[in-house]
Amino acid sequence: MAETKPVAVVVGATGGIGRAVAVALSDEGYTVWLAGRDEAALKSLAAELPDSAPWTVDFEDDVAEVPLDVPKVDVLVHCAGVFASGTVDEMPEDQWRQVFTVNLFGVVGLTRELLPRLRAARGKVILVNSTVVRTSAAGRGAYAASKEALRVFGEALHQEEIDHGVQVTTIYPGRVATDMQRTVRRGEGGPFEPARYLTPETVAAAVLVVLSTPADGHLTEFVLKPAW
Ligand SMILES: NC(=O)c1ccc[n+]([C@@H]2O[C@H](COP(=O)([O-])OP(=O)(O)OC[C@H]3O[C@@H](n4cnc5c(N)ncnc54)[C@H](OP(=O)(O)O)[C@@H]3O)[C@@H](O)[C@H]2O)c1
């Protein structure tokens, strides 16, 4: 892989949004590490993108046990996540823990692991959150709570890393046309209508906006909703 290019790590690169982000960053000339748990799918994506490589990490395992052999990381984009529906009354504690393990603790652990290399690059961390924060429909408690916790994590990290030159940005997308949204709509009992949702490529374009912001500015957070 080329040494001189900026380095990006995209977590959840096998997912709808993560894949689009990985493609966009590759097109922008980044060396892209494709992080996720499905090794075969990551390898297949790596074969399509120049200067990319798979990095197999499962957020339900200890991410520190799978070291990444790069001295610096310019951009870390967190796109891994799981959705779960179920009322407080019916959702078992194990499922609450799994949602928090992937949507929060995995993000925390992997970010901590890469922090020295992000500092070395005065890099950027981008958290793909959700408009579900600060509110929740009935039956969405675990997902919404995990995303609210992720929001607060992002704020803390932002404050802590200012002096290290690492910028943290949270993007809150509305509905995006991916497999996860299919699951959401199934749970809601409504049709999957991708033409009414954001495309994953539009979320990827928002990531590029963050990265193209001049150095004297810092986009700390923004909401991205479908235009109709
Ligand atoms: N789709 C929407 O409408 C929407 C809206 C707002 C926010 N978001 C957020 O955007 C992010 C991406 O969502 P998406 O729509 O792209 O979903 P997706 O297509 O279902 O992709 C989810 C990604 O997370 C990965 N993942 C799941 N469990 C994991 C684990 N234990 N360890 C590592 N990776 C794991 C998946 O890997 P596998 O391929 O191995 O399953 C996949 O790459 C999520 O955080 C989601 O909450 C989505």
Side-chain angles (χ1 to χ4, degrees):
M1 303 229 290
E3 291 282 319
T4 51
K5 290 175 149 194
V7 173
V9 176
V10 179
V11 195
T14 55
I17 294 172
R19 183 189 166 89
V21 170
V23 170
L25 292 177
S26 177
D27 288 348
E28 286 294 305
Y30 283 80
T31 291
V32 185
W33 287 88
L34 307 163
R37 60 183 175 167
D38 184 341
E39 193 171 3
L42 294 170
K43 281 184 175 164
S44 156
L45 180 57
E48 292 176 36
L49 303 180
D51 278 319
S52 69
W55 181 31
T56 311
V57 284
D58 186 333
F59 275 0
E60 294 187 62
D61 298 332
D62 183 356
V63 295
E65 286 178 5
V66 276
L68 180 68
D69 188 20
V70 290
K72 70 178 186 73
V73 173
D74 297 273
V75 181
L76 168 61
V77 191
H78 279 290
C79 308
V82 288
F83 175 77
S85 61
T87 62
V88 173
D89 180 42
E90 70 196 13
M91 187 181 287
E93 186 177 327
D94 279 0
Q95 197 172 4
W96 273 82
R97 289 189 186 282
Q98 195 242 352
V99 170
F100 269 75
T101 296
V102 178
N103 292 358
L104 180 68
F105 299 131
V107 177
V108 174
L110 192 136
T111 304
R112 185 175 52 227
E113 193 61 24
L114 295 183
L115 216 36
R117 283 164 275 187
L118 284 157
R119 288 174 179 171
R122 299 182 74 79
K124 298 193 179 192
V125 179
I126 300 175
L127 303 169
V128 177
N129 201 306
S130 165
T131 50
V132 77
V133 293
R134 293 205 175 99
T135 178
S136 178
R140 297 264 182 94
Y143 180 71
S146 71
K147 291 299 191 184
E148 179 63 21
L150 182 67
R151 180 186 72 76
V152 177
F153 160 75
E155 285 194 355
L157 187 67
H158 161 58
Q159 297 294 340
E160 290 167 8
E161 290 303 313
I162 288 173
D163 290 344
H164 297 289
V166 176
Q167 292 191 349
V168 182
T169 300
T170 295
I171 302 176
Y172 302 95
R175 294 182 196 269
V176 188
T178 69
D179 286 349
M180 182 182 286
Q181 189 54 232
R182 259 181 221 286
T183 306
V184 171
R185 292 300 289 148
R186 205 176 302 127
E188 291 173 342
F192 179 69
E193 300 172 291
R196 300 184 60 187
Y197 312 146
L198 294 161
T199 65
E201 289 72 24
T202 298
V203 182
V207 168
L208 296 186
V209 169
V210 175
L211 299 181
S212 63
T213 302
D216 63 314
H218 176 186
L219 270 175
T220 55
E221 58 176 351
F222 57 93
V223 174
L224 179 65
K225 287 193 173 177
W228 39 80

